[in-house]
Amino acid sequence: MRTTVYLVGAGPGDPSLLTLGAAQLLSEADIIVYDALVSPAIRSYFSPTARLEYVGKRAGRHSMTQEEINALLVDLAQEGEGLKIVRLKGGDPFVFGRGGEEMATLHSHGIAYEIVPGVTAGIAAPAYCGIPVTQRELSRSVTLITASTQQGGLPQLDWGAYARLEGTLVFYMSMRAVPEIARELMEHGMPQEHRAAIIAHGTLPSQRLLSQSLKQFALSTEGYEAYSPGLFVVGDVVAWGQDFAWYRPGRLVGQRIVVTRSEAQASSLSERLEREGAEVHLLPTIAITPTEEWGQIDEAIAHLDEYDWLLLTSANAVRLFFERLSLLGRDARALAGLSIGVIGQATQSALRGYGLEADFIPSIYTAEVMARELAPRLSPGQRVLLPQSARSSGLLAEGLRAAGAVCTELDLYSPSPIEHDEEYIRSLISRGTSWITLCSSSAATNFLDLVHRYGLQEELHRCRLAVIGTVTAETITAAGYSVAALPAKASIEALVEEIVQKSLP
């Protein structure tokens, strides 16, 4: 099987606009080369085993030149046979994405390639503002224009031709040149009252629309670089944005939030925060390491018919238990005679992924409440199977035994700390950070260890901490820090809503 490089468009930002083809390739890729316009929500589609190569590019700030990226793609493709390499680019790779240059480079080196188009911002961002780039009797054409050269200046364009077009002009990479573009169009005959707009962060919850006349943009002394990445749209259709705008900004726009969940679990919280407009930064503090001692677990799976209840306290426990079940040649049918109890909506959702519904969920998502509320349902001598973290508090098993149950605890996995350097930690708990989220006691413990190791206690005291669960809150307060957000319900949805409410002016 030959190695193939896929030039893939990631779309304009909203992960729901990622194509099915792109999502499938990302989930299967051996190597992913991506840039700065690929959001964390889209990165959640990356294969967990893929090697990641970041080549982040933004106008005026290049971490790698295009020539270096071209050379990197060739080097990666020559590493071996049968590799699936995804070059992921914001928007569409062939609309000011320099995908043509990358394709030509691959072709010249005899490397197989395929193109997966993406939704381009020039069409999608105006649509999210209620602006149709073409409209009968109003705009007969749409013209996509780059407003940046390799040297960083405005290119030499036929401004007279653009000014005479009866259509919509969409300028990419234009935030540094908005007043100059407006002046050129006016000087070449476009009416000064012609409508124009800047669309920043199009299709994202942080989307902003600034609409005014061409003259107002031309005379402005405002620096529009703060709107990057943005588009400058000129045309009569811009006025439609006043009446037909439908996409509402999120409630956390302007909030910088650090998520400390394990990488495998971070996506659900990150995506919800991003949908509310937050700027999310990932700081995974725990890695989930499956056990190496499977003997007792395999024995329990072989005799599932001897148990009355299966209790699953986390999404990790669900995933690892069912993976082992499958590895042993069994599936959900093996659980036909058991009642299943879970703690939390995330655990319930993970269970549903295997086609099963929980028979019992406690009213409050803690081990103590589960033991107390499940006890009346248990008969003395009933057998309970409890696959869990090796660092479980033991409170659930203790409570079940007190109710007369025979409880078998299985250590499925261990949460282990992830190391980060001081510079990275310091940057994430700087004055610009609004919230730090901590979803488990182990995540909180590992995070606090990093803070104390680097002497960042004072900086952390200036941050607001949002946590899930009373045990996590106790870990934080015992270390001398205050908890700013603790939802009554221990769920991701409740945590996000609590942060929203506590962030309101």
Side-chain angles (χ1 to χ4, degrees), residues 258-261 282-286 416-418 420 424-426 428-430 433 435-454 456-457 459-461 463-467 472 475-476 479 481:
V258 175
V259 171
T260 61
R261 302 194 86 192
L282 300 182
L283 179 69
T285 59
I286 57 174
S416 54
I418 295 176
H420 296 280
Y424 185 57
I425 300 293
R426 189 178 293 277
L428 290 183
I429 60 175
S430 65
T433 295
W435 291 92
I436 297 174
T437 64
L438 300 155
C439 297
S440 69
S441 180
S442 56
T445 298
N446 295 339
F447 174 70
L448 292 173
D449 285 346
L450 289 169
V451 169
H452 293 169
R453 181 189 311 168
Y454 298 131
L456 301 174
Q457 293 93 323
E459 287 86 346
L460 184 58
H461 276 295
C463 296
R464 289 183 291 179
L465 305 182
V467 308
T472 310
T475 301
I476 295 296
Y481 300 94

